[in-house]
C-alpha cells in the first residue's frame, strides 16, 4: 500500500511517499513559516504527484498554523482521492527518530518548542511507546518531568548527565513509528489557543 506522509507541525515542512514501509521519495525543508505555500509544491514533486492509497499526517502538538495546514491538506487530498486519512503524533515521531539515530532501545524524553516560553513534553519507554499524553510545561518544571538519560527535540536541556539529540520531525522517518501509532486526523495542539472567542452578547 502506498502511503503519503505529511509533516508540517514544526518549522520543518516535509512529505514522503512510501510503498509499505519502503521509502520511494521525499521532500524536506526547514522553512520556519510559509507551510501553506510550500506544502502542495513539495507533494507535487513526488512521483505521481504523491498519489497514494492512504495519508498519514502529523497532528501535533506543535505550531497551531502548521498543524492546521497539514491536516487540512491531508483531508482535502483524502476526499479528492477517496482514501483514508490517519494522524500520528509529532513527539512520537521525534522519539522514534532519536531511537533510530542513536541505535538505542532506551527510554527517551522529547522536548519541543511550544511557544510563549513553554515546551511540549512527552516521555517514551524503552519500547518506544508514550508513557503519558503530551503536555505543555514551563521551563522550571522540565527538570522534574524529564528524567530519561536520553532527551530529543529542538530544545537543549543543558544537562551534562543527559544525551541530547537535536531533531525536528521528518516525514521520511514515518516507517520507524510503532505499528499502533495511527490517530484520528484531528489537530492536537497541546495547549489552549492564543486567541479567545469574543464574549457572546446577551
Amino acid at each position: 500500500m502506498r502511503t503519503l506522509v505529511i509533516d508540517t507541525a514544526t518549522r520543518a515542512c516535509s512529505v514522503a511517499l512510501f510503498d509499505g514501509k519502503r521509502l520511494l521519495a521525499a521532500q524536506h525543508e526547514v522553512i520556519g513559516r510559509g507551510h501553506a505555500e510550500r506544502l502542495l509544491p513539495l507533494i507535487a514533486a513526488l512521483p505521481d504527484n504523491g498519489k497514494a492509497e492512504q495519508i498519514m499526517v502529523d497532528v501535533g502538538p506543535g505550531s497551531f498554523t502548521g498543524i492546521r495546514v497539514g491536516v487540512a491538506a491531508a483531508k482535502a487530498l483524502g476526499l479528492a482521492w477517496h482514501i483514508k486519512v490517519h494522524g500520528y503524533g509529532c513527539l512520537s515521531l521525534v522519539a522514534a527518530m532519536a531511537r533510530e539515530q542513536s541505535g538505542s532501545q532506551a527510554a527517551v524524553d522529547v522536548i519541543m518548542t511550544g511557544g510563549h516560553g513553554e515546551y511540549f513534553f512527552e516521555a517514551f519507554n524503552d519500547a518506544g511507546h508514550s508513557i503519558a499524553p503530551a503536555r505543555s510545561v514551563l521551563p522550571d518544571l522540565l527538570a522534574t518531568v524529564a528524567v530519561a538519560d536520553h532527551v530529543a527535540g529542538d530544545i537543549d536541556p543543558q544537562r551534562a548527565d543527559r544525551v541530547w539529540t537535536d531533531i525536528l520531525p521528518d516525514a521520511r522517518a514515518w516507517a520507524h513509528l510503532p505499528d499502533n501509532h495511527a490517530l484520528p486526523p484531528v489537530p492536537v495542539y497541546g495547549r489552549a489557543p492564543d486567541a479567545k472567542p469574543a464574549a457572546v452578547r446577551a
Side-chain angles (χ1 to χ4, degrees), residues 2 117 122 133 157 160 169 193:
R2 279 198 173 190
E122 190 168 4

Side-chain angles (χ1 to χ4, degrees), residues 1-186:
M1 175 182 288
R2 279 198 173 190
T3 301
L4 172 64
V5 183
I6 297 173
D7 202 303
T8 58
T10 66
R11 65 180 186 273
C13 184
S14 61
V15 296
L17 187 64
F18 287 84
D19 184 359
K21 293 297 182 74
R22 181 171 64 92
L23 178 63
L24 299 177
Q27 299 285 328
H28 178 272
E29 297 178 1
V30 178
I31 62 175
R33 298 184 178 182
H35 294 78
E37 293 77 18
R38 288 300 301 142
L39 180 56
L40 292 183
L42 291 180
I43 294 174
L46 297 173
D48 301 323
N49 292 316
K51 188 67 179 293
E53 296 164 281
Q54 70 170 354
I55 298 175
M56 302 294 303
V57 60
D58 189 336
V59 295
S63 160
F64 285 144
T65 302
I67 294 169
R68 287 196 297 267
V69 167
V71 171
K75 288 183 175 180
L77 290 174
L79 287 173
W81 294 342
H82 305 288
I83 60 176
K84 291 184 177 181
V85 178
H86 304 283
Y88 64 88
C90 177
L91 278 60
S92 295
L93 183 61
V94 171
M97 292 172 64
R99 289 159 56 84
E100 177 66 19
Q101 289 186 21
S102 68
S104 169
Q105 299 302 308
V108 57
D109 289 339
V110 176
I111 305 172
M112 300 290 293
T113 301
H116 296 280
E118 297 185 14
Y119 303 135
F120 293 124
F121 171 82
E122 190 168 4
F124 296 83
N125 62 23
D126 55 8
H129 299 292
S130 175
I131 297 174
R135 54 182 169 141
S136 184
V137 299
L138 293 170
D140 293 345
L141 297 178
L142 284 179
T144 62
V145 298
V147 297
D149 293 333
H150 188 184
V151 178
D154 62 351
I155 299 296
D156 186 349
Q158 301 290 327
R159 292 283 298 274
D161 59 339
R162 306 283 175 88
V163 175
W164 175 55
T165 305
D166 187 4
I167 296 179
L168 288 173
D170 188 332
R172 291 174 290 188
W174 168 75
H176 298 310
L177 281 166
D179 289 337
N180 62 345
H181 64 271
L183 303 171
V186 178

